[in-house]
Amino acid sequence: ATKLLLRPYSTTITMRSVIVAALATSAAAFAPTTSRVHRVATVVKTAEVEPEAMDLDLEQMFEVFDEAVAADGGEPATPVAAMTTSLALPGQPRPAGLNSVSIAGDRGFDPLGFGKDKETILKYRSAEIKHARLAMLAAAGWPLGEVFDKPLAGALNLDSPIVANNGLAPSLLNGGLGLISPAYWVAVIGMAAAVEALGFTLKTEDPGDYGFDPLGLYPKDTAGKLQMQEKEMIHGRVAMVAITAFAAQEFASKVSVVDESPFLFKPLWSYLTENLHSFDLSAGYANY
């Protein structure tokens, strides 16, 4: 009787063991293996690692960009032809010394071979950018002075040096520099000396970069900076030619720049009535 009672019990235990083993086996099929867990953890760990910052100067960055574009099947931003021929003098060989550094405004023009190495070129660029900025101020200030000096002096009950100089801006060729107040020359020389002293403390290789950008107009990206530098060099070079032309023209003709080209500096109605006599019916054709 005892054997008959134990036999169903043992059979029940055996069936339970089989069911538990089957469930464990099926559950293991859905469980990730150790290698999978390790691989996922490795991927997550790799994704969390931040890339290190690249310490490259402007020239090296452009080289990296050109290599990437060339590897993708495109054309580099700086063609090979531009490195061997002059853009300013088409057909002429590009001076080899200019290839030592990449700067804005480089047109391959160095007929006298002044730019022999990177250090020399950066020194000349520093001098050029100073002259360019002064020329831009002078090219704007020269005609504006001839237009507004007389009314401003009259409003302040002061003498106008331009009026005393026959309407011409005081300059080395026009004369009249002695009419300028000595206090003005002291202020100008003091400001120029302060800017020059600040230039000696600059740690950057970018000539003319004094960190002065109160309006935040200077771009943050490399391409934008290069474009802004290019525009400044173009305007500065045009201004250097313009201010030289102002001085030469007034010295030769003894006519002020404002009167020589009144359509640029006088109001339209003033130009039409005073210079073209458009509304003066008594003016004959000979006056035109």
Side-chain angles (χ1 to χ4, degrees):
T2 305
K3 291 181 179 181
L4 292 175
L5 291 173
L6 290 177
R7 183 175 298 173
Y9 179 75
S10 60
T11 303
T12 303
I13 293 176
T14 302
M15 292 299 295
R16 288 181 179 179
S17 300
V18 172
I19 293 173
V20 170
L23 291 176
T25 303
S26 61
F30 296 95
T33 60
T34 305
S35 59
R36 292 178 181 175
V37 174
H38 177 71
R39 183 168 55 192
V40 173
T42 304
V43 172
V44 174
K45 183 177 181 181
T46 304
E48 293 177 353
V49 176
E50 298 181 356
E52 297 181 358
M54 298 179 65
D55 188 11
L56 300 177
D57 59 17
L58 184 60
E59 181 180 0
Q60 292 172 335
M61 286 182 180
F62 280 112
E63 291 178 356
V64 172
F65 294 155
D66 290 344
E67 291 177 358
V69 172
D72 195 35
E75 295 183 357
T78 53
V80 178
M83 304 301 292
T84 58
T85 60
S86 173
L87 296 178
L89 302 173
Q92 298 298 318
R94 173 184 171 85
L98 299 182
N99 294 331
S100 59
V101 61
S102 297
I103 54 178
D106 183 5
R107 299 295 184 271
F109 183 79
D110 187 20
L112 300 180
F114 288 144
K116 298 180 180 180
D117 51 39
K118 179 179 180 180
E119 183 179 0
T120 304
I121 293 176
L122 292 180
K123 287 182 179 179
Y124 278 116
R125 171 47 57 88
S126 180
E128 182 184 21
I129 196 65
K130 291 176 185 177
H131 286 80
R133 289 170 177 173
L134 287 175
M136 285 188 284
L137 291 174
W142 187 298
L144 289 178
E146 293 181 345
V147 172
F148 295 108
D149 185 74
K150 181 180 178 179
L152 287 177
L156 299 175
N157 294 323
L158 300 174
D159 296 331
S160 171
I162 293 182
V163 173
N165 201 40
N166 299 321
L168 303 178
S171 66
L172 186 63
L173 296 178
N174 289 340
L177 293 177
L179 301 173
I180 306 298
S181 171
Y184 171 82
W185 295 116
V186 172
V188 169
I189 294 175
M191 293 176 61
V195 173
E196 190 67 19
L198 178 61
F200 288 112
T201 64
L202 297 179
K203 303 299 182 181
T204 177
E205 284 191 356
D206 295 334
D209 185 4
Y210 289 86
F212 181 77
D213 186 24
L215 299 180
L217 300 178
Y218 196 55
K220 304 299 182 182
D221 59 295
T222 304
K225 290 180 180 179
L226 185 62
Q227 186 179 18
M228 185 69 74
Q229 294 171 8
E230 188 79 18
K231 292 179 179 178
E232 183 180 27
M233 291 310 306
I234 293 175
H235 287 81
R237 289 169 178 172
V238 171
M240 286 189 282
V241 175
I243 195 63
T244 304
F246 288 175
Q249 179 265 317
E250 289 195 357
F251 173 72
S253 66
K254 302 303 179 183
V255 177
S256 68
V257 172
V258 173
D259 292 332
E260 188 72 26
S261 51
F263 54 89
L264 293 177
F265 304 105
K266 291 185 178 180
L268 179 61
W269 58 88
S270 177
Y271 169 67
L272 292 175
T273 55
E274 296 178 8
N275 297 97
L276 293 183
H277 308 283
S278 298
F279 302 101
D280 187 2
L281 300 180
S282 64
Y285 289 101
N287 292 331
Y288 292 98

